[in-house]
Amino acid sequence: MKSQEGLTNVDSEKFNTLISNGNVQLIDVRTPKEYREAHIEQAVNVDFFSKDFSEQLGGFNSDEPVYIYCRSGKRSGKSVAQFQKAGFKQIYNLDGGILGWISAELPVVESEE
């Protein structure tokens, strides 16, 4: 993936370290169904495919870093331009998405459904 201004692609271990203090803006850009199946604790679901995706980003503080992920890293990579347009300067993308996270045997919250 080519480097974009303000974007840092990080592996699962580094991502886990970055979000470990818990007081971060962690956004899962997958569908609500995917989110319910398994997500990283504290993640907020903002569906990349929703019609109001850009508007929903306005609800976050663009002056603070944002940590994003999807299934494999493709959708979150595509969403970067919209995060930048919304004014985010520090964007951390989970390389390999939640699949990489699970492969690294890091914890997820699974739905009770």
Side-chain angles (χ1 to χ4, degrees):
M1 180 180 284
K2 68 180 191 292
S3 179
Q4 293 171 285
E5 192 173 336
L7 171 66
T8 308
N9 288 302
V10 294
D11 66 21
S12 298
E13 296 296 334
K14 175 80 172 158
F15 197 83
N16 189 34
T17 301
L18 290 168
I19 66 170
S20 64
N21 80 15
N23 188 22
V24 297
Q25 300 183 106
L26 178 60
I27 302 176
D28 181 326
V29 300
R30 299 175 302 152
T31 65
K33 180 181 185 296
E34 289 173 301
Y35 177 83
R36 284 192 304 272
E37 288 168 1
H39 62 271
I40 299 172
E41 191 172 9
Q42 307 295 324
V44 176
N45 185 215
V46 182
D47 184 359
F48 177 64
F49 296 122
S50 67
K51 288 180 175 56
D52 64 346
F53 180 75
S54 295
E55 288 79 26
Q56 289 184 59
L57 298 184
F60 296 91
N61 183 349
S62 62
D63 294 329
E64 295 292 322
V66 65
Y67 302 85
I68 62 175
Y69 71 93
C70 62
R71 182 175 164 273
S72 66
K74 287 189 177 74
R75 260 178 287 176
S76 55
K78 288 179 183 172
S79 74
V80 167
Q82 291 179 51
F83 278 95
Q84 289 170 327
K85 203 166 163 186
F88 289 90
K89 305 276 185 277
Q90 282 185 282
I91 304 161
Y92 293 89
N93 182 34
L94 176 57
D95 212 12
I98 198 161
L99 294 179
W101 178 270
I102 291 168
S103 291
E105 299 181 0
L106 291 162
V108 293
V109 175
E110 294 181 8
S111 171
E112 305 299 312
E113 291 179 44

